[in-house]
Amino acid sequence: NKRLDSLQSALQLSTDTSGFEVGWAVVNLTPEEVGPLAGYGARKPKEWTAIHDSAFVRTLVLRQGSRQVAVVTADLLVIHPELSRRVWEQLPAGWSKSQIYFTATHTHSGPGGWAPGLVGKLFSGPYDPQIVDWLATQIITSIHEAQAN
């Protein structure tokens, strides 16, 4: 993963801002079924029982000509490599993984179940590949919507 301070070189923006476009989207990340809360995996694991606040993925797309990047911010503890890999596998035409910048709000009140292995279970509860697939789909939807906006 690249650092956010590398965005300028990735876009290679000129002083001519004609044709510079910005799009954004917000997509809900609140699971429909009860599941583990991230950050509480080692605590039996802790599952959510009701929804107080929704979780979201917010995506900003910056484009100038044929150059574009997406900054994806999700209400998750972290963006686990398992999740970023699934997103990269589903990228729409015209996108590459080097154009996607992930960040997370580091919430301990967001969905878990996205990390395989013992350490993943300790941080995010029992692994469920369906959760990873759903999260990846929501992120891809946010990229599509931001690009359209």
Side-chain angles (χ1 to χ4, degrees), residues 92-104:
W95 287 94
S96 69
K97 69 181 191 177
S98 66
Q99 296 170 295
I100 310 297
Y101 293 81
F102 293 106
T103 184

Side-chain angles (χ1 to χ4, degrees), residues 2 27 62 81 86 89-90 101 119 122:
K2 293 186 178 181
V27 173
L62 306 170
R86 293 281 174 89
E89 290 171 355
Q90 299 176 41
Y101 293 81
V119 174
L122 293 174

Side-chain angles (χ1 to χ4, degrees), residues 55-118:
F56 297 95
V57 57
R58 295 161 186 86
T59 298
L60 177 72
V61 169
L62 306 170
R63 180 172 52 211
Q64 185 174 34
S66 62
R67 295 182 304 266
Q68 62 186 3
V69 296
V71 180
V72 177
T73 303
D75 289 333
L76 296 171
L77 184 68
V78 298
I79 303 294
H80 189 273
E82 183 76 5
L83 177 56
S84 59
R85 184 181 60 78
R86 293 281 174 89
V87 170
W88 293 332
E89 290 171 355
Q90 299 176 41
L91 283 175
W95 287 94
S96 69
K97 69 181 191 177
S98 66
Q99 296 170 295
I100 310 297
Y101 293 81
F102 293 106
T103 184
T105 59
H106 193 77
T107 180
H108 285 249
S109 297
W114 34 252
L118 177 61

